[in-house]
Amino acid sequence: MMQRLCIIGVGLIGGSIAKAVRRQELCQQIVGVDADAENLRCALDLGIIDAAFAVCDLAEAAVGADWVVIATPVGAMPSALQGLQADWSDAMTVTDVGSTKQSAIAAAQAVFGATPANFVPGHPIAGAERSGVEAATDDLFVGKRVILTPVAETDPLALARVEQFWTAIGASVALMSPLHHDHVFAATSHLPHVLAYALVRLLGRMDEQEEIFQYAGAGFRDFTRIASSNPQMWADICLLNREPLIPLLGQLGAEISAVAEMMAQQSQPELCAYFTEAREARQRFLNQLETNS
Amino acid sequence: MMQRLCIIGVGLIGGSIAKAVRRQELCQQIVGVDADAENLRCALDLGIIDAAFAVCDLAEAAVGADWVVIATPVGAMPSALQGLQADWSDAMTVTDVGSTKQSAIAAAQAVFGATPANFVPGHPIAGAERSGVEAATDDLFVGKRVILTPVAETDPLALARVEQFWTAIGASVALMSPLHHDHVFAATSHLPHVLAYALVRLLGRMDEQEEIFQYAGAGFRDFTRIASSNPQMWADICLLNREPLIPLLGQLGAEISAVAEMMAQQSQPELCAYFTEAREARQRFLNQLETNS
C-alpha cells in the first residue's frame, strides 16, 4: 500500500494514473502538482487528487510522499527534479512517464550528479491526441505496455516496486536500455508524429489556396490524427530525441525521393513491389499487435 | 428504373454499388464482369449479381445494358473501354469510379477518338483497405461524396442521370474539373498513401534488425492503416496521377528537411510554431468534415 503518492503533472497520463490507483485502492492519499492552475483546480474538483499544489510548492507536495510520479511534459523534467532535490529521500520510489529516456536520465544526473538509485525511468505506451486531466480515465493503461529503462545505479528493489505498480493498474512491463528505447520510439512514434505534422502543414497551406480539405475523408482523418497532438509537448520530445530522429528523417526523405524516381521512370513493377513490401511489413506489425494484446 | 446494369469490376466498390442498387430496387437486372474468377463466383453466390461474365465476354455482358459502371482498378480502365467499344450505344449511360480522372478521360479519348457524350467520369470518396466483393456493403456510399468531372463533350442529361443515381444510393455529388480533381486527390489521398507505404517499408526493414514493431501501439496502427491498401491498385493510381504527385513528394521532402534542420538548430520556438500551424490546419479540416457530414 502506498501512503502518499505525489503526481507532478496532472494531465492525461498523470490524471489517469491517479484514477487507476484510486480504483485499485492502492494508495491512502494522492497529491497533485501542476503548472496549469485551471487544470489543477479541475483535478481537485473531480476528486482525482486529494490536495493540489502549484509548481512553486512542489517541495511541500513531496513531503512525506513514499511515491513520486513525474508526469510532466518531457521539457519540464529537469525543473521537476530540481524541485524534488532538497527533500529527496531514499524512502521514496520515484518514476517518470516521459517519451524520451536518455534525456530523463541526463536530467537526473545533472541535478543529482548521478542517477539516484530510487529513480526508475519509465514510459507507458498509452496516450491520445487529447490532453489535460479532463481526458484522464481509470483504464488508460489496461492492456498497455510500459517500458522501464533502469541504469546500472538503479536499485533492483525500486525497479521491482515500479514493475508491480504498473502491473497493478493493468499494464504489462518490458525492460530496455535507455538508448534502445530512444531509437525504437524515434522510429515508431516520433517519426510518424513529425511526418503527420509536416503533411498537414503542407496541405494546410495548399488548402488556403484551393480548398482541398473539403474533399478529404475518413482515411485522411485517421492518417493525420496524431497531427492534433500537443505541439509544445512534441517539440520538446523531438528536440530531446533529435539524435536518432534526425537521421531517420533523412532516411525517410531518401525513401520518398526513391518512390518519386520510380514514378518519374514509370516503373510499375518496381513501385508495386515497393508498396507490397510495405503492406507485408504492416501485416507483420498487425500480427504482433494481436499477439501482444 | 434501370433495366440492365453492367458492373465491370465487382470488387469492394462495384459490389457495394450492386448491393445498394438492389437495396433501393433501382434496377431489374445486374450483371457483373470480373478478371478474378473466384471473386466473380463469390459475387454470384452471394446474390450480388444476377449473371457473371469473364473479361473476355465483356461485350456480351454489356448487350442490352442501359447502364454501365466501370469499377475496375484504374489500370484496367483502357481495356474495359476497349471491351465496350464494339457495342457502345447512345442508349447507355456509362460512368466510372476511378481515383484519377484525367487518365480515365484520356483512356476514353484513346479508344473513341473523343470523350463519348454518355460517359460521365466519376469518383466516389469511399473505400477501405479491404478489397474484393466480400467486403462490399449496401451502405458504403451513404453520406459519402462523389465527385463527377464532366468535360465539354458530356451530355448534360447523362450527367443529370449519374447525379441522380448516386443521390439515390445515399451519396452527395460535387462537380469539379478533371485537372482540379487530380490535383486535390494527389494531395489529400495519393500523397498520404505513398507516405504511409514509405514509412512502413523503412520501419519494416529496421524491424528485421531490431524488432521495433512490438513496441508500436494504436497510434502507429491508425497512422499506417492505408499502407495495407492494395499495392497494385495504388501503384497504378500513383503512376497515372504522377504529374501532380511527384512535385508534392518533392515539397513534402523539403518540409521534412526543414523540420530536421530546426531540430539540428535546437530551435524550440520554431518547431513548436510549425507543429502548432499543423494542428490548427487539421482542426480546420475536422471542422469541415463535421459540417459536411
Side-chain angles (χ1 to χ4, degrees), chain B residues 3 25 27 94 102 120 128 153 159 207 212 228 238 272 274:
Chain B
Q3 302 302 311
E25 300 178 352
C27 187
V94 183
Q102 292 176 103
V120 181
E153 297 91 331
L159 175 62
D207 183 58
I212 59 172
S228 289
C238 289
C272 193
Y274 186 99

Side-chain angles (χ1 to χ4, degrees), chain B:
Chain B
M1 185 74 166
M2 301 168 167
Q3 302 302 311
R4 178 177 167 110
L5 166 61
C6 174
I7 299 178
I8 306 173
V10 195
L12 171 70
I13 301 293
S16 294
I17 289 172
K19 281 185 144 182
V21 163
R22 193 85 84 185
R23 182 186 180 178
Q24 299 296 325
E25 300 178 352
L26 300 176
C27 187
Q28 294 192 335
Q29 191 193 26
I30 303 176
V31 305
V33 180
D34 205 282
D36 179 336
E38 197 182 324
N39 184 66
L40 189 63
R41 177 90 238 160
C42 180
L44 196 61
D45 288 349
L46 291 169
I48 292 174
I49 52 174
D50 300 310
F53 295 85
V55 170
C56 56
D57 300 323
L58 195 160
E60 194 187 337
V63 168
D66 52 342
W67 276 82
V68 177
V69 176
I70 306 172
T72 61
V74 290
M77 186 78 190
S79 65
L81 288 165
Q82 274 155 22
L84 290 168
Q85 189 184 13
D87 295 292
W88 191 274
S89 143
D90 290 346
M92 287 173 172
T93 303
V94 183
T95 188
D96 81 310
V97 303
S99 301
T100 59
K101 300 275 45 94
Q102 292 176 103
S103 72
I105 292 159
Q109 287 171 343
V111 171
F112 296 97
T115 312
N118 55 339
F119 171 58
V120 181
H123 176 205
I125 315 309
E129 70 270 21
R130 294 176 308 154
S131 56
V133 72
E134 286 179 289
T137 62
D138 64 9
D139 61 354
L140 185 65
F141 307 107
V142 173
K144 301 289 167 57
R145 275 172 178 272
V146 174
I147 315 290
L148 301 179
T149 62
V151 292
E153 297 91 331
T154 309
D155 175 6
L157 291 176
L159 175 62
R161 283 195 297 274
V162 174
E163 279 198 66
Q164 282 165 13
F165 162 77
W166 283 111
T167 307
I169 60 174
S172 67
V173 172
L175 302 187
M176 214 184 273
S177 78
L179 177 71
H180 186 52
H181 170 280
D182 288 355
H183 274 84
V184 166
F185 287 89
T188 58
S189 172
H190 311 166
L191 179 62
H193 275 80
V194 172
L195 281 191
Y197 281 128
L199 175 74
V200 176
R201 183 175 179 276
L202 175 66
L203 268 50
R205 296 207 161 187
M206 285 182 64
D207 183 58
E208 288 166 9
Q209 306 302 316
E210 47 168 344
E211 298 186 349
I212 59 172
F213 280 161
Q214 61 178 301
Y215 304 105
F220 185 73
R221 185 192 58 214
D222 283 356
F223 187 68
T224 59
R225 194 180 304 276
I226 51 181
S228 289
S229 303
N230 185 301
Q232 163 105 44
M233 198 180 98
W234 278 94
D236 287 344
I237 290 171
C238 289
L239 286 177
L240 288 170
N241 208 26
R242 66 187 180 280
E243 213 167 301
L245 188 51
I246 292 173
L248 281 171
L249 288 170
Q251 286 174 48
L252 190 82
E255 295 281 332
I256 291 172
S257 297
V259 175
E261 182 58 26
M262 288 175 210
M263 289 180 193
Q265 299 294 329
Q266 303 188 46
S267 175
Q268 207 273 359
E270 209 184 347
L271 193 59
C272 193
Y274 186 99
F275 290 175
T276 301
E277 183 182 331
R279 181 158 85 158
E280 286 167 0
R282 182 165 191 267
Q283 194 54 50
R284 282 206 314 277
F285 154 69
L286 288 179
N287 295 344
Q288 282 189 30
L289 195 67
E290 207 170 300
T291 310
N292 289 343
S293 63

Side-chain angles (χ1 to χ4, degrees), chain A residues 197-217:
Chain A
Y197 281 128
L199 175 73
V200 176
R201 183 174 178 277
L202 175 66
L203 268 51
R205 295 206 162 185
M206 284 182 65
D207 184 59
E208 287 168 8
Q209 306 301 316
E210 47 169 344
E211 298 187 350
I212 59 172
F213 280 159
Q214 63 178 300
Y215 304 105

Side-chain angles (χ1 to χ4, degrees), chain A residues 67-200:
Chain A
W67 276 81
V68 177
V69 175
I70 305 173
T72 60
V74 289
M77 185 77 189
S79 64
L81 288 165
Q82 275 155 20
L84 289 169
Q85 189 183 14
D87 295 292
W88 191 274
S89 144
D90 290 345
M92 288 173 171
T93 302
V94 183
T95 189
D96 80 310
V97 303
S99 300
T100 59
K101 299 273 51 88
Q102 292 176 103
S103 71
I105 292 160
Q109 287 170 342
V111 171
F112 296 98
T115 312
N118 55 338
F119 171 58
V120 181
H123 176 205
I125 315 309
E129 68 271 22
R130 295 176 308 154
S131 56
V133 73
E134 286 179 290
T137 62
D138 65 8
D139 62 354
L140 185 64
F141 307 108
V142 174
K144 301 289 166 58
R145 273 173 179 271
V146 174
I147 316 289
L148 300 180
T149 63
V151 291
E153 297 90 331
T154 309
D155 175 6
L157 291 175
L159 175 60
R161 283 195 297 274
V162 174
E163 280 197 65
Q164 282 164 13
F165 163 77
W166 283 112
T167 307
I169 60 173
S172 66
V173 171
L175 302 186
M176 213 183 274
S177 78
L179 177 71
H180 186 51
H181 170 281
D182 288 356
H183 274 84
V184 166
F185 286 89
T188 57
S189 172
H190 312 165
L191 178 62
H193 275 81
V194 172
L195 197 51
Y197 281 128
L199 175 73
V200 176

